[in-house]
Amino acid sequence: MYHNNSIRILAGNSHPELAQAVAERLNVPLVPVTVKKFSNGETNVKISESVRDEDVFIIQSGCGDVNDNFMELLILISACKTASARRISAVIPCFPYARMDKKEKSRAPITAKLVANMLVVAGCDHVITMDLHASQIQGFFDIPVDNLWSEPLMIGYIKREIVGWQDGIIVSPDAGGAKRVTAIADKLGVEFAIIHRKRNGKSLSAPEHMEILVGDVKGKVAILVDDMIDTGHTLMLAVKTLHEKGAKSVHALISHGLLSETNLSLIDELPLDQLVVTNTIPQKQHQSLCKKLVTIDVSPTIAESIRRTHNGESISLLFGEWAETTGVEVL
């Protein structure tokens, strides 16, 4: 199945459950790694098995304590580099600082570019990530970057789990997600809509509302699609707007469920049938607080991308026949 140099999978502390699931799918044991902190807060890493001349994949997501987890990843990469690994791939399901991809105003940092530079300097040879907030982040690297999509999983979930999707409409909560929703709408053969968020006045503290720029949701199954949910404010406004405009039911499918500042009890009170996220970020704690939260497993996609990368096979097939024939697993 594999070439002479074998796959070696390492995991940091950000998402051990996902790393274990990926390792089990590849039938490869996780390399024992101890990551702990010294009393002054510095991170210490110990890799307990040889990785010399091996194909190393380090799984670490940009969630939880983002800065500490990213520092763990850099130190693990550096440790593998000095241990003579043949190739080091950073598998980052949720890319940290992805929202800081351009200068929004004077003197603002482009932190996503800094993150890219740090990964390369640490010794990373290849990056596998999922649903980047902005595709141009791939251009910040001078090494190969594979940006996996959760789109095929979402399409599979819509077809299998959402009743009446044939009479549905795919909705983007902002203009930036237009390309994403039109692609899904085309593959499903349904219409799409775009919502615009604006303030009722010039003041930053002025109340906000949403209006539908494109599309008619009246009497249809509205399926909101976005790449990230953090505070949940945009979702709440969008769901209320769709409900007021006469949508038959509302479903939300979002790639990265950060939910760091979201009051999950309010999600349960919304006229929302379900909030579907992937497990690029741990969701067990969130699921216990929100009955409407559903989690899709991305470990099959990540495991297959690692196998194909190791064997020198095409990754693009993950978005075609392979994705269509693979079932969607709900955790």
Side-chain angles (χ1 to χ4, degrees), residues 52-230:
R52 181 177 293 274
D53 204 35
E54 303 282 31
D55 197 3
V56 174
F57 294 84
I58 304 171
I59 300 175
Q60 184 84 320
S61 199
C63 57
D65 194 335
V66 176
N67 294 329
D68 275 0
N69 288 336
F70 183 60
M71 198 66 203
E72 273 183 23
L73 175 60
L74 294 176
I75 295 170
L76 282 166
I77 291 169
S78 179
C80 290
K81 190 76 173 177
T82 54
S84 303
R86 179 181 293 189
R87 179 175 61 180
I88 303 167
S89 299
V91 182
I92 312 172
C94 182
F95 196 86
Y97 292 98
R99 285 174 284 185
M100 298 184 186
D101 60 315
K102 57 184 178 291
K103 288 185 73 170
E104 295 281 4
K105 53 188 177 182
S106 300
R107 297 173 298 282
I110 307 177
T111 316
K113 170 63 175 168
L114 175 62
V115 168
N117 290 344
M118 292 169 77
L119 286 167
V120 173
V121 169
C124 186
D125 301 305
H126 176 221
V127 172
I128 297 174
T129 186
M130 185 167 247
D131 281 334
L132 283 172
H133 184 66
S135 294
Q136 67 262 26
I137 290 174
Q138 295 170 86
F140 293 166
F141 291 87
D142 292 322
I143 58 174
V145 178
D146 288 314
N147 180 28
L148 308 177
W149 299 337
S150 64
E151 179 187 298
L153 296 174
M154 289 185 174
I155 290 172
Y157 184 87
I158 290 169
K159 287 181 176 179
R160 291 175 177 86
E161 304 292 338
I162 296 181
V163 177
W165 66 266
Q166 296 89 341
D167 187 33
I169 185 165
I170 311 300
V171 185
S172 173
D174 54 55
K179 189 175 180 181
R180 186 184 304 111
V181 299
T182 52
I184 294 175
D186 287 346
K187 288 177 181 175
L188 290 171
V190 298
E191 296 178 3
F192 71 91
I194 299 172
I195 302 178
H196 177 59
R197 178 174 169 179
K198 62 186 291 187
R199 295 186 186 277
N200 300 330
K202 294 182 179 180
S203 169
L204 290 175
S205 59
E208 293 180 310
H209 76 280
M210 283 187 162
E211 55 187 35
I212 298 175
L213 293 181
V214 178
D216 181 13
V217 301
K218 189 173 182 180
K220 294 182 180 177
V221 176
I223 304 170
L224 268 168
V225 176
D226 206 357
D227 70 314
M228 190 178 291
I229 176 171
D230 193 359

Side-chain angles (χ1 to χ4, degrees), residues 7-65:
I7 292 177
R8 308 292 275 169
I9 298 178
L10 284 69
N13 288 327
S14 70
H15 201 340
E17 297 90 355
L18 180 62
Q20 185 62 47
V22 170
E24 287 174 2
R25 287 186 176 276
L26 291 167
N27 198 25
V28 173
L30 285 172
V31 174
V33 175
T34 304
V35 182
K36 59 183 182 180
K37 280 190 169 65
F38 290 118
S39 56
N40 66 347
E42 292 177 354
T43 300
N44 181 35
V45 166
K46 181 182 179 183
I47 301 171
S48 302
E49 291 181 6
S50 172
V51 294
R52 181 177 293 274
D53 204 35
E54 303 282 31
D55 197 3
V56 174
F57 294 84
I58 304 171
I59 300 175
Q60 184 84 320
S61 199
C63 57
D65 194 335

